[in-house]
Amino acid sequence: MSTSPHPEHRRTAIVTGAARGIGAAVAHRLAADGHRVAVLDLNEAACQSVADTIIEAGGTAHAVGADVSDETSVQKAVEQVNAALGAPVVLVNNAGVIRDNLLFKMSTGDWDTVMNVHLRGSFLMAREVQAYMTHSGFGRIINLSSVSALGNRGQANYAAAKAGLQGFTMSLALELGKDGVTANAIAPGFIETEMTAATAARIGMDFDEFKAKVAADIPVARVGVPDDIAHATSFLASEGAGFVSGQVLYVAGGPKV
């Protein structure tokens, strides 16, 4: 039995940071749900491989290269998506970077880069697509926050950005709800990606050992994988999630032990 939505509920979605990891998994899941997916990342060539895989599986996808922190780039990207796939009414703000360091070692550039991609990028993307959503009377904005929003040593910039996304999400929910637009955030725990592998390398630990150490403190006794976030995104993007807005869903395997 197909899990795809009814044809009239198949819409155009944009997933940022979709060339790999969580973003790629979300793009694949939304395409499997029947949506037309714009696979957006800084590198269009990397996006294309994800889009090609979706198309080969019978889905509809379009690769878009854009810098989410640049206003003109975002405007052009959304125009391109509208022309290629139709009005974008599902937005997943997943693009992100890390520049971890202790506060006294953190440069202004490290702070600004993280803020620009996570917060400014989400703002620019949401502002650009909201007109399509309000015109359609339907919209789903899903912002990727993190458990680090609660604070994490060596991640003052990242934690501040992810906490800011939660406030941003709630404000969007209040502003746009009357137009049929919901806004929610997903806060992943430890997810097995290239980014977390890089963290293990930075601290000089084998990645498998690192994952085992982390899993020991997770109630479900495993680390997360990108598909865990994709499943949650699928629900929040669905027609049936229309009464869920302004929420932060922690997908972290349970509370900290």
Side-chain angles (χ1 to χ4, degrees), residues 21-41:
I22 290 172
V26 169
H28 279 287
R29 177 55 190 263
L30 292 180
D33 287 346
H35 301 299
R36 301 175 294 274
V37 181
V39 182
L40 188 150
D41 211 305

Side-chain angles (χ1 to χ4, degrees), residues 147-148 152 188-193 195-197 199-203 205-225 251-257:
V147 294
S148 291
N152 199 27
F190 186 100
I191 306 296
E192 184 178 345
T193 64
M195 188 178 289
T196 50
T199 299
R202 181 173 56 82
I203 64 176
M205 183 178 287
D206 176 80
F207 192 35
D208 286 335
E209 292 178 7
F210 187 48
K211 289 187 292 182
K213 183 176 184 296
V214 171
D217 291 329
I218 298 175
V220 300
R222 69 168 177 89
V223 300
V225 295
V251 183
K256 285 190 174 181
V257 177

Side-chain angles (χ1 to χ4, degrees), residues 229-250:
I229 308 306
H231 289 310
T233 304
S234 175
F235 165 68
L236 291 175
S238 71
E239 189 83 13
F243 203 54
V244 180
S245 195
Q247 302 304 304
V248 180
L249 175 62
Y250 283 84

Side-chain angles (χ1 to χ4, degrees), residues 16-20 39-47 64-70 73 95 97 117:
T16 71
R20 62 186 186 277
V39 182
L40 188 150
D41 211 305
L42 196 58
N43 187 323
E44 184 175 340
C47 294
V64 182
D67 177 357
V68 297
S69 69
D70 181 83
S73 182
V97 295
V117 175

Side-chain angles (χ1 to χ4, degrees), residues 17-243:
R20 62 186 186 277
I22 290 172
V26 169
H28 279 287
R29 177 55 190 263
L30 292 180
D33 287 346
H35 301 299
R36 301 175 294 274
V37 181
V39 182
L40 188 150
D41 211 305
L42 196 58
N43 187 323
E44 184 175 340
C47 294
Q48 191 62 57
S49 64
V50 175
D52 287 345
T53 304
I54 289 172
I55 293 167
E56 288 166 7
T60 303
H62 182 70
V64 182
D67 177 357
V68 297
S69 69
D70 181 83
E71 186 172 12
T72 301
S73 182
V74 165
Q75 290 170 345
K76 290 180 178 178
V78 174
E79 288 172 2
Q80 181 181 341
V81 172
N82 181 47
L85 300 176
V89 294
V90 175
L91 171 65
V92 182
N93 281 316
N94 169 72
V97 295
I98 54 171
R99 296 290 186 272
D100 295 351
N101 226 327
L102 295 174
L103 181 63
F104 77 97
K105 293 181 179 180
M106 187 174 290
S107 69
T108 304
D110 289 340
W111 177 272
D112 289 346
T113 296
V114 170
M115 290 295 167
N116 285 341
V117 175
H118 291 270
L119 274 178
R120 179 181 169 87
S122 296
F123 156 68
L124 290 174
M125 289 298 304
R127 188 181 67 177
E128 201 62 30
V129 301
Q130 59 82 29
Y132 295 97
M133 295 178 174
T134 56
H135 178 75
S136 300
F138 177 95
R140 300 286 185 264
I141 299 173
I142 301 159
N143 297 316
L144 267 292
S145 180
S146 169
V147 294
S148 291
L150 303 175
N152 199 27
R153 178 180 172 84
Q155 288 194 317
N157 49 4
Y158 187 77
K162 291 305 194 182
L165 277 174
Q166 295 188 13
F168 178 62
T169 298
M170 294 174 191
S171 297
L172 294 183
L174 291 169
E175 288 187 22
L176 301 174
K178 67 183 184 301
D179 297 309
V181 180
T182 66
N184 292 284
I186 295 174
F190 186 100
I191 306 296
E192 184 178 345
T193 64
E194 291 180 20
M195 188 178 289
T196 50
T199 299
R202 181 173 56 82
I203 64 176
M205 183 178 287
D206 176 80
F207 192 35
D208 286 335
E209 292 178 7
F210 187 48
K211 289 187 292 182
K213 183 176 184 296
V214 171
D217 291 329
I218 298 175
V220 300
R222 69 168 177 89
V223 300
V225 295
D227 280 345
D228 291 317
I229 308 306
H231 289 310
T233 304
S234 175
F235 165 68
L236 291 175
S238 71
E239 189 83 13
F243 203 54

